Amino acid sequence: MSDKEETAIFAGGCFWCMVQPFDQMPGIISVVSGYTGGHVPNPTYEQVASGTTGHTEAVKITFDPSIISYKKLVEIYWHQTDPTDAMGQFQDRGDSYRPVIYVNSPEQRKIAEESKKELENSGEFDEPIVTKIEDAQPFYPAEDYHQDFYKKNPLRYAIEESGGRKKFINDHWKK
């Protein structure tokens, strides 16, 4: 990575649904779907889906901080998730879909915690904000067929998006 590249890792349900909102922003170099936060090295999709690895489905974003800030990425993240649901996101249920902001520096932790506090104080949600902020763990890219899923499989992606995420985003974030 050059001096103009940093990374951010976010888990917010199915990684297929977390790529497109970041992928289309200026300053984003790459968005990779993968697995993190567990105890099994180089897990497969089937292993993660079995719920036995401890991993979450996540996206690793490489970005140019001179064009887009980490704070802006955290804002985009909140606007893709239900931060009050610790047991998954929308139709995706279970530990591998839990919402987590994985931080890789004290600066990222400070920004993420401040942003979470702002969200808690905003009055947008009646329930507590349960999204975790955890230290980044090794990140394992998912199999090739999971990468850029929204581009490769637009119909299947649209079906996934119809599982409640789009309505939730419109209800809570499009004000």
Side-chain angles (χ1 to χ4, degrees), residues 120-134:
E120 289 169 341
N121 293 333
S122 72
E124 178 61 40
F125 297 97
D126 296 331
E127 295 142 42
I129 304 303
V130 296
T131 300
K132 299 271 191 236
I133 298 171
E134 299 178 2

Side-chain angles (χ1 to χ4, degrees), residues 37-153:
H39 56 271
V40 174
N42 298 304
T44 65
Y45 179 74
E46 289 72 24
Q47 287 174 308
V48 173
S50 75
T52 60
T53 68
H55 287 288
T56 59
E57 288 192 14
V59 291
K60 183 176 186 177
I61 301 160
T62 303
F63 66 100
D64 180 340
S66 70
I67 298 173
I68 189 167
S69 68
Y70 181 74
K71 182 176 182 177
K72 179 64 177 172
L73 295 178
V74 173
E75 285 175 23
I76 294 167
Y77 169 79
W78 290 127
H79 291 204
Q80 309 314 310
T81 65
D82 177 352
T84 67
D85 186 352
M87 294 313 302
Q89 292 290 287
F90 313 104
Q91 77 274 18
D92 301 312
R93 310 311 305 156
D95 205 42
S96 63
Y97 298 117
R98 68 191 183 276
V100 184
I101 297 173
Y102 291 98
V103 296
N104 60 36
S105 70
E107 294 80 14
Q108 283 192 357
R109 178 171 292 282
K110 182 176 185 279
I111 291 166
E113 287 176 353
E114 286 173 358
S115 182
K116 182 176 178 179
K117 184 63 74 189
E118 286 174 21
L119 184 58
E120 289 169 341
N121 293 333
S122 72
E124 178 61 40
F125 297 97
D126 296 331
E127 295 142 42
I129 304 303
V130 296
T131 300
K132 299 271 191 236
I133 298 171
E134 299 178 2
D135 288 336
Q137 303 294 318
F139 181 90
Y140 304 100
E143 296 81 351
D144 284 346
Y145 69 92
H146 290 299
Q147 305 303 330
D148 293 321
F149 193 84
Y150 79 99
K151 293 177 185 173
K152 295 179 193 171
N153 297 286

